[in-house]
Each structure stands twice: as C-alpha cells, then as structure tokens.
Amino acid sequence: MKTPVALSIAGSDPSGGAGIQADLKTFHRFGVYGEAVITLITVQNTRGVRAVHLLDATLVREQLHAVLEDIPPHAVKTGALGSREIVEMIASTELPCPLIVDPVMTSTSGASLGHAIDALLPRAFLLTPNLDEASMLAGFPVTDVDSMRRAAEKIASLGVKNVLIKGGHLQGDAIDLLYNGTFHKFSSPRIATPHTHGTGCTYSAAITAEIAKGTELIEAIRRAKTFLCEAIRSNPGLGRGSGPLNHFAG
Ligand code: PXL
C-alpha cells in the first residue's frame, strides 16, 4: 500500500503539546506521514499562552500550494486558523481529500486563536467542536447530552456532513456524539488529571490519520478515542501547568 499522508493546517505550540506539534506526533504514532502548514505562532508553555502572532494569509496559501502540488495528502485537518483571510483562503482551495475541521476558538488557557469558520463548514467532511465551540456554532448553551443532540442537528443544518461534539468537559463520563443523519455515541470513563493540554488537537489528528489510511469514520473515531484515553491516562507529567499527553500511547 502507498504511504498514507496527512496534512495539518494549524498553529505552532513551542511547548510541543498542542497545535502542529501534537498533530505531527499523532500522525507519526498512527503510521501516517505528516505535513504541516503553519498559520500562526504562539508563545506558550504548559502554564498559558503569552502571545499569538498571525502569519499573512498569502504566506499560508504559498505553503499550502507548495505541499499540495508535490505530496498530495489523503486527509487534511485544520486547527487554529487565526484570521478570516486564512479561513476564506482554505475554503476556496481545492483539496484532493476529506477535510477535518477542528473549530479551535481559544487555547485551553483561554487565549484567542480562532476566527469564525462559517466559510469552511460546507467544505468539511467532519467538524469536531468541543462544548464551547458547539455552543457558539449552534447559538445556545451546550451543557449535556440532550443539548449536544440539538446542537449537532443545528450545526449539520449549516452544511456539515458529520458533526462530532466532544463532551470531554461534561460531568461524569466523557461522551462524544456523532451526528450524520443518525446519532452515534462514544463513551469513556473520565480520567481525573490536570494534564490535558492539546487533547482536542490530538483527538482530531488521530481521526485524521485514520481517515488518511482509509478507515471508515465510525471506526476511525473509535480508534482515535481509545488512543486519546490512553494518552491522557499515561501522560508524562511534564511542565508546571496543564501538561501534555503521552503521544507514544497505545
Ligand atoms: O487546543 C487548541 C490549540 C490549538 N492550536 C494551538 C494551541 C492550542 C491550545 O493551546 O496552542 C497552537
């Protein structure tokens, strides 16, 4: 079989736990060759984001075209995009494969990294909002499984084929809900730890890697969630704040 290739279009986290760095580590762990187009540079460590520097949309477009014309990926994911110009540039670029959109709005510590991704919604094969992002997209608070169901239907009506709302911040078990005309629930026991830096990035990168390998969506999510739970459970305890996951897990 040909080497599977995945591309991440996202921001840099120099502490290595989130953003582009988490995506590449995760692609590698899943046996997928990783490419990375950088949209913004953060200055951060496990204690928080100190600065965000957006790259010019032209520079992002040039990176994207350079990789697409040479090593076309089998799946693409987007993370922090930073500006409307970058969102619109990606929405207007022809991609050769499924697009997974992680609608990153803020870092775990609250820094603004995103921009409204409405233009990308009809282009997304899969959207992976957390509860806050789902609330923003649906226009009402998403706080439990019932409101997750209503939000997923509302977001799907905006033109997204598959919506996976991540319930990692719910009370009790971590329940994720996929809606693609019907509902599918993915549940795992809550792991009590402060070390969750980059959880969203790592999860969507693992799904993207499986999609690049040709795995169908429900099985891709199942494998990604199993990996994510183990990566959280076996986190290396690095840093003085909310530390990274174990990207070697599984
Ligand atoms: O997890 C959201 C996220 C995305 N991208 C970058 C980040 C973070 C969170 O810290 O730093 C670059």
Side-chain angles (χ1 to χ4, degrees), residues 10-15 17-21 23 39-42 44-45 48-49 77 79-81 102 104-111 113 133 196-202:
S12 167
D13 167 9
S15 71
I20 283 284
Q21 288 81 354
D23 291 347
T39 55
L40 58 85
I41 293 173
T42 67
Q44 69 172 302
N45 58 27
V49 177
K77 75 156 271 194
L81 296 177
D102 189 10
V104 175
M105 306 284 180
T106 59
S107 72
T108 309
S109 58
L113 298 171
E133 293 153 356
T196 55
H197 181 79
T199 305
C201 306
T202 300

Side-chain angles (χ1 to χ4, degrees), residues 163-244:
V163 181
L164 178 68
I165 300 185
K166 301 173 294 187
H169 298 134
L170 292 171
Q171 304 290 333
D173 287 352
I175 294 168
D176 305 329
L177 191 69
L178 173 70
Y179 179 70
N180 55 6
T182 52
F183 290 102
H184 307 263
K185 232 187 204 180
F186 304 85
S187 185
S188 60
R190 167 159 314 282
I191 302 159
T193 173
H195 300 307
T196 55
H197 181 79
T199 305
C201 306
T202 300
Y203 192 15
S204 58
I207 298 169
T208 302
E210 283 294 335
I211 297 294
K213 291 196 274 191
T215 307
E216 67 75 33
L217 181 60
I218 289 176
E219 180 61 19
I221 294 170
R222 212 173 272 137
R223 290 181 194 175
K225 191 163 171 78
T226 301
F227 163 71
L228 189 74
C229 289
E230 195 44 43
I232 298 171
R233 197 189 315 280
S234 60
N235 76 76
L238 293 171
R240 294 155 186 253
S242 176

Side-chain angles (χ1 to χ4, degrees), residues 72-91:
H74 303 106
V76 175
K77 75 156 271 194
T78 59
L81 296 177
S83 74
R84 180 170 56 82
E85 289 77 13
I86 294 173
V87 170
E88 287 175 357
M89 184 279 291
I90 297 166

Side-chain angles (χ1 to χ4, degrees), residues 114-169:
H115 192 276
I117 43 92
D118 303 38
L120 268 182
L121 294 178
R123 308 294 308 274
F125 166 70
L126 173 69
L127 188 77
T128 62
N130 61 23
L131 296 178
D132 286 345
E133 293 153 356
S135 303
M136 204 121 50
L137 288 160
F140 54 80
V142 182
T143 54
D144 55 19
V145 175
D146 180 58
S147 49
M148 285 167 79
R149 283 177 187 271
R150 287 185 284 112
E153 282 178 326
K154 174 84 186 286
I155 295 166
S157 77
L158 305 175
V160 185
K161 291 175 198 69
N162 298 286
V163 181
L164 178 68
I165 300 185
K166 301 173 294 187
H169 298 134

